[in-house]
Amino acid sequence: MDQLVTASIDSEMMRRCIELSRTARAHGEFPFACVICDEGGDVVAESLNRVRRDRDVTKHAEILAIGEAQRKLGATDLGGCTLYSNAEPCPMCSFPIRETGIRKVVYALRSPLMGGYSKFAVLRSEDINRAMPEAFAEPPQVLGGVLVEEAEEAWRQWSPIAWRVIKRRGIFEGDPTVSYSRATRPARAGFNWRRLINLIWA
């Protein structure tokens, strides 16, 4: 596929993913969203997190979208698909990406502390597919920082206070040119994350 067409599809799908993430507050969720499309750019599946709704920490948007895509396509092999997430997939979500053979992963916000690509290397490791080629596909093409400013703004609109804390702790990076200094990390003691969550949903 032509690079300009591919870039256009990536932007279109990421914008759809970010807009989906904006609806998270109405569902009582953190603004994580995922869209999966096929080689022609048609949406196969999309999802928000359902962690709070289902009271299940495994219900991440990527895992839910991967499950829906497999059901719709009637196959566990998603080798012709691209996954879009407004934040870098965590390791838990990255393993199903590798197992289903998703060919490309596109995300906006980088996660230097929890990322399945930048921190834990699940999305770029060749050890697992070399050792278990029956179960794991080769690493997908990974493209980060797509529409990062729009993704950051969606998080800021969801909760300005929470986004400031998230940025300060270095959990997500909205601007890839900004480096995180360990010295600026707030002390764990004295910060009540649960109280912040309650304030957000009040």
Side-chain angles (χ1 to χ4, degrees):
M1 188 179 293
D2 183 89
Q3 287 187 346
L4 290 176
V5 174
T6 300
S8 176
I9 291 174
D10 286 346
S11 294
E12 178 185 348
M13 290 297 122
M14 182 57 72
R15 190 163 284 112
R16 178 173 181 145
C17 185
I18 292 169
E19 287 307 309
L20 182 61
S21 78
R22 292 180 190 274
T23 70
R25 187 179 181 92
H27 297 276
E29 298 287 348
F30 281 85
F32 293 104
C34 179
V35 173
I36 295 176
C37 75
D38 61 21
E39 291 179 288
D42 294 322
V43 173
V44 176
E46 58 186 20
S47 183
L48 291 168
N49 267 27
R50 291 210 309 259
V51 171
R52 291 177 64 87
R53 193 194 80 172
D54 295 353
R55 295 180 175 84
D56 183 344
V57 297
T58 69
K59 296 297 183 71
H60 286 198
E62 293 93 333
I63 290 177
L64 293 169
I66 288 170
E68 182 183 345
Q70 290 177 108
R71 287 189 293 274
K72 283 190 175 179
L73 297 177
T76 58
D77 184 353
L78 302 180
C81 295
T82 298
L83 181 145
Y84 297 87
S85 179
N86 62 318
E88 182 180 351
C90 71
M92 180 176 72
C93 297
S94 296
F95 276 104
I97 290 171
R98 294 297 303 271
E99 288 190 66
T100 56
I102 288 173
R103 67 180 181 88
K104 183 177 178 182
V105 174
V106 182
Y107 62 83
L109 298 167
R110 190 171 80 92
S111 181
L113 295 182
M114 301 180 296
Y117 179 83
S118 59
K119 175 66 174 180
F120 293 100
V122 177
L123 292 178
R124 53 187 166 90
S125 171
E126 295 188 357
D127 293 341
I128 54 177
N129 57 283
R130 286 173 179 164
M132 296 178 285
E134 303 84 0
F136 294 98
E138 293 183 357
Q141 177 186 353
V142 176
L143 179 61
V146 175
L147 300 185
V148 64
E149 292 180 357
E150 293 183 28
E152 182 176 8
E153 181 60 25
W155 271 82
R156 186 183 294 110
Q157 290 176 355
W158 168 74
S159 174
I161 296 172
W163 179 245
R164 282 199 297 272
V165 173
I166 287 167
K167 288 269 287 186
R168 186 173 178 82
R169 289 187 171 189
I171 296 170
F172 292 124
E173 290 185 349
D175 182 352
T177 64
V178 176
S179 61
Y180 171 71
S181 171
R182 184 178 295 273
T184 65
R185 182 180 297 176
R188 185 177 182 85
F191 181 81
N192 191 325
W193 183 263
R194 192 174 301 279
R195 184 180 299 168
L196 174 61
I197 298 301
N198 290 335
L199 284 171
I200 292 169
W201 301 125

